[in-house]
Amino acid sequence: DSGVTQTPKHLITATGQRVTLRCSPRSGDLSVYWYQQSLDQGLQFLIQYYNGEERAKGNILERFSAQQFPDLHSELNLSSLELGDSALYFCASSPLETFSYEQYFGPGTRLTVT
Amino acid sequence: GENVEQHPSTLSVQEGDSAVIKCTYSDSASNYFPWYKQELGKRPQLIIDIRSNVGEKKDQRIAVTLNKTAKHFSLHITETQPEDSAVYFCAARGVTGGGNKLTFGTGTQLKVEL
């Protein structure tokens, strides 16, 4: 167990809908990262937050947004869902931004869009 | 941006043999190279990592080597066991654009046969 928690574990929804995925980092970790893992795309970095502020952005679609709250938990919002958004969504956390590069992954949320 | 290539995509070895997985990266400024092990349906687990100021690092049966000049790094698993069967991902931390972004390779499915 990495100490990173994610809810829900599974999510099934229809095209066009909006969902929210939640992540709580390890105790003391200030950075949260979101990754998408699909069969044909591997692990793709979406976005990083550090202590409430966006720090790095990857190939995140405009339909997707994220935020990190004062208690350091993070939410990833996916809207206007398409079949191709079906994937495993992982959250990871790390202690600091500098000198501590290790990222620890949560158990993931499996999203199925029908 | 950073690009990471990983080979082979599948690797089958006999129990007790060694396994080697290789990755190349494109950004010469990348400074941190972790390896993750992912079992089916589970989260990626950090198994070993190396920083750009180190050439080799060992942890029991696993080791990682880094050649900065050639921009490639490798994972070595000795005395393989059936429980080593999983997908292994390499990654590189880019320094351009800020943050702590990891770019992952496409994964290697390792199968250890009895």
Side-chain angles (χ1 to χ4, degrees):
Chain A
D1 185 1
S2 65
V4 179
T5 60
Q6 289 186 247
T7 56
K9 279 188 178 179
H10 303 278
L11 201 47
I12 302 174
T13 189
T15 54
Q17 295 299 304
R18 172 189 168 95
V19 297
T20 297
L21 312 183
R22 182 187 168 106
C23 167
S24 291
R26 297 185 319 162
S27 177
D29 284 1
L30 298 177
S31 269
V32 169
Y33 312 80
W34 287 98
Y35 290 87
Q36 180 191 56
Q37 186 175 39
S38 53
L39 281 173
D40 57 346
Q41 292 290 324
L43 271 163
Q44 298 287 318
F45 169 75
L46 297 178
I47 198 163
Q48 177 200 353
Y49 278 83
Y50 176 73
N51 205 19
E53 295 188 2
E54 182 184 305
R55 287 294 289 144
K57 222 169 183 177
N59 297 323
I60 187 167
L61 300 172
E62 285 192 13
R63 301 183 285 107
F64 295 2
S65 65
Q67 54 184 326
Q68 186 179 27
F69 294 87
D71 67 352
L72 302 177
H73 91 272
S74 177
E75 292 180 357
L76 178 67
N77 300 295
L78 315 176
S79 61
S80 303
L81 285 167
E82 301 174 359
L83 294 177
D85 297 328
S86 295
L88 262 172
Y89 290 85
F90 287 104
C91 168
S93 73
S94 65
L96 298 170
E97 192 171 46
T98 54
F99 310 117
S100 297
Y101 302 146
E102 299 84 359
Q103 296 183 24
Y104 297 92
F105 282 73
T109 293
R110 182 173 294 281
L111 173 66
T112 302
V113 182
T114 61
Chain B
E2 175 69 277
N3 183 49
V4 176
E5 294 190 359
Q6 183 172 347
H7 299 280
S9 56
T10 61
L11 179 58
S12 186
V13 299
Q14 295 292 313
E15 183 180 8
D17 288 349
S18 295
V20 180
I21 303 170
K22 298 181 179 182
C23 290
T24 59
Y25 60 99
S26 60
D27 185 353
S28 57
S30 290
N31 61 0
Y32 171 70
F33 307 90
W35 286 88
Y36 286 85
K37 174 184 180 183
Q38 187 178 27
E39 296 174 3
L40 190 62
K42 302 275 184 74
R43 63 184 175 90
Q45 278 186 285
L46 178 65
I47 57 171
I48 196 167
D49 55 12
I50 192 168
R51 299 198 175 210
S52 56
N53 58 348
V54 175
E56 183 175 359
K57 184 177 178 181
K58 282 184 182 179
D59 183 3
Q60 299 183 333
R61 294 187 298 109
I62 60 174
V64 57
T65 58
L66 171 65
N67 183 327
K68 283 197 303 181
T69 304
K71 290 190 286 186
H72 69 70
F73 56 113
S74 300
L75 177 71
H76 304 253
I77 306 175
T78 58
E79 300 173 22
T80 53
Q81 301 167 2
E83 50 265 39
D84 294 329
S85 297
V87 179
Y88 291 81
F89 291 94
C90 63
R93 176 187 182 270
V95 297
T96 55
N100 193 27
K101 175 183 174 180
L102 291 179
T103 299
F104 283 82
T106 49
T108 296
Q109 174 77 61
L110 173 65
K111 184 176 181 182
V112 180
E113 298 177 331
L114 297 171

